[in-house]
Amino acid sequence: MAQIRVAREAGACYGVERALRMVEEAADRASGRVHTLGPLIHNPRVVADLAARGVDAVDAPEDAAGDVLLLRTHGTVPEEEARARELCSGVLDATCPFVKKVHQAAERLCAEGYRVVVVGEAGHPEVEATLPHAPGAVVVGSAEEAAALPRAHKVGVVVQTTARRALLAEVVGALLGVADEVRVMNTICEATAGHQAAAEELAREADVMVVIGGRISANTTRLAEISAASCPRTYHVEGADELRAEWFDGAGVIGITAGASTPASQIEAVRARIGELVGE
């Protein structure tokens, strides 16, 4: 019989749990409508559940004028937050505290005369919310992009909270060739690093890995990549209904991990369904 094991660190992080608690409390006590500025977290099923409760995602503060608006976990640019506070009846800041640390680090480096490099995924909401905190900052997603930057005297580095440590090391190595001084503020979230290490550890022992979380979630996608490197039979799902019995044929150890936007209830649902499929 197959052994089903959940990674020692998996699922919703502090920032996500805090945001979900905030939105639930707001929905319970608000006299009017409640919205989130963009998807609260990168988990389509959670976002759909919130919409069913009447908490919908809007694209701009203007779409929530007169109502309560939550700023999502990934943060928002200062101009949008200012408009929200002007237009909405209430604004709740659900930005992850670790994301705010990235903003503060970028501001500090900029004030000290460093050219700021944000290591991460261009276009990601967290990265886009970080850039205004350091005018002139650039986004770098690979060592090749870092090596192609124009030479600078002082370069300061901040990192998307969900980035891989290996990527940071590669980028810093490349920056040492184009800058006289490189100062690194390692703003990778401890929960992200822990999730990644635990996933890699389990994947080395598993015959099959199941990674749970939104396909638009950067940190979940990285967990899938890390798992697949050690366990080729890795499957990324958003929910238990996507599981297929044939995935587990001949498996002795089935590993489960989950992204930082995945609630415990979704992990348990997947674990229970796998148990049904393999006859646990």
Side-chain angles (χ1 to χ4, degrees):
M1 181 178 294
Q3 180 186 12
I4 305 171
R5 294 168 54 187
V6 178
R8 57 182 171 80
E9 291 188 37
C13 63
Y14 166 76
V16 167
E17 290 179 342
R18 171 179 173 272
L20 292 174
R21 185 169 60 251
M22 288 178 69
V23 75
E24 288 169 1
E25 290 174 354
D28 288 341
R29 68 170 181 259
S31 56
R33 299 188 65 191
V34 176
H35 312 270
T36 64
L37 185 56
L40 183 67
I41 59 176
H42 278 163
N43 186 317
R45 301 204 176 197
V46 171
V47 171
D49 289 343
L50 290 174
R53 292 189 58 183
V55 180
D56 62 326
V58 297
D59 295 325
E62 290 77 6
D63 299 325
D67 296 330
V68 174
L69 182 65
L70 275 86
L71 308 181
R72 63 184 179 179
T73 54
H74 304 99
T76 188
V77 299
E79 293 79 5
E80 273 195 320
E81 180 175 352
R83 290 206 312 276
R85 296 191 182 282
E86 179 182 345
L87 295 170
C88 301
S89 62
V91 176
L92 301 174
D93 189 356
T95 304
C96 173
F98 293 102
V99 171
K100 285 187 175 291
K101 288 184 177 181
V102 185
H103 299 170
Q104 293 162 0
E107 290 172 358
R108 179 178 174 183
L109 289 170
C110 187
E112 294 178 2
Y114 290 86
R115 181 187 185 191
V116 177
V117 168
V118 182
V119 179
E121 181 184 339
H124 188 280
E126 179 189 322
V127 172
E128 293 302 306
T130 298
L131 291 174
H133 292 273
V138 295
V139 183
V140 166
S142 68
E144 291 74 19
E145 291 178 5
L149 291 175
R151 185 156 191 88
H153 175 50
K154 296 170 61 175
V155 170
V157 178
V158 298
V159 197
Q160 184 177 343
T161 58
T162 55
R164 294 179 295 110
R165 285 178 173 172
L167 173 62
L168 173 60
E170 292 164 5
V171 168
V172 170
L175 288 174
L176 290 172
V178 297
D180 300 318
E181 176 188 344
V182 178
R183 184 176 180 189
V184 181
M185 307 289 276
N186 184 353
T187 49
I188 295 175
C189 173
E190 291 182 7
T192 295
H195 280 43
Q196 293 175 356
E200 184 176 17
E201 175 185 289
L202 181 55
R204 287 197 297 264
E205 302 173 1
D207 300 299
V208 177
M209 282 290 293
V210 175
V211 182
I212 314 164
R215 291 185 175 83
I216 59 173
S217 164
N219 76 86
T220 307
T221 299
R222 291 190 183 95
L223 287 179
E225 293 169 350
I226 289 167
S227 297
S230 297
C231 180
R233 292 170 66 184
T234 291
Y235 302 94
H236 182 174
V237 303
E238 291 190 348
D241 57 313
E242 297 179 12
L243 298 167
R244 299 291 178 264
E246 60 268 23
W247 293 354
F248 310 107
D249 288 345
V253 176
I254 299 168
I256 299 173
T257 188
S261 296
T262 305
S265 58
Q266 292 185 349
I267 298 175
E268 181 51 37
V270 166
R271 192 197 183 288
R273 180 56 180 155
I274 292 174
E276 294 174 355
L277 293 173
V278 302
E280 184 183 50

